[in-house]
Amino acid sequence: YASPLLARKLEQAAPFEVHGKPHWKSRLQLDDFLKKTRRLGYCLPHLQSPYGPLVAVAAPIFSAGHEVIASIGAYIPGSKIPKREIDQMISLCRSCANKL
């Protein structure tokens, strides 16, 4: 959701090679993930947590000017979470983000 200027500043502050590569195999995979996130309106990453397996989701909170100012997220510990619980978590995060 970042403007091109903000995206450049973020890349300068946290270069992909240093901060992104440990989590994403390539910049292309990260870019594809970000495109999907923008299309869906929420983020459901498949990253390892230092706390063990979990399913996490985050939804953006927009300002009146349609800028991302925060996000709201949730997680469920475990690796075999029923799809209906994941769908409910996504729905609740998106609903809360829209209300905020």
Side-chain angles (χ1 to χ4, degrees), residues 34-48:
L34 294 173
K35 285 177 193 173
K36 182 179 178 184
T37 296
R38 288 188 297 270
R39 188 181 81 243
L40 294 174
Y42 63 89
C43 166
L44 190 66
H46 298 287
L47 301 174
Q48 282 294 338

Side-chain angles (χ1 to χ4, degrees), residues 54 75 89 96:
L54 56 86
Y75 73 93
M89 186 171 60
C96 287

Side-chain angles (χ1 to χ4, degrees), residues 1-54:
Y1 297 104
S3 69
L5 176 61
L6 179 56
R8 280 193 304 277
K9 287 181 179 181
L10 291 170
E11 177 65 27
Q12 288 173 350
F16 176 80
E17 291 299 319
V18 176
H19 299 281
K21 204 163 192 169
H23 304 288
W24 304 94
K25 293 180 182 172
S26 71
R27 183 63 193 234
L28 181 61
Q29 284 186 344
L30 173 59
D31 289 342
D32 287 344
F33 173 77
L34 294 173
K35 285 177 193 173
K36 182 179 178 184
T37 296
R38 288 188 297 270
R39 188 181 81 243
L40 294 174
Y42 63 89
C43 166
L44 190 66
H46 298 287
L47 301 174
Q48 282 294 338
S49 163
Y51 307 109
L54 56 86

Side-chain angles (χ1 to χ4, degrees), residues 67-83:
E67 293 176 318
V68 175
I69 56 172
S71 66
I72 188 163
Y75 73 93
I76 302 173
S79 58
K80 298 189 184 219
I81 310 301
K83 184 180 180 321

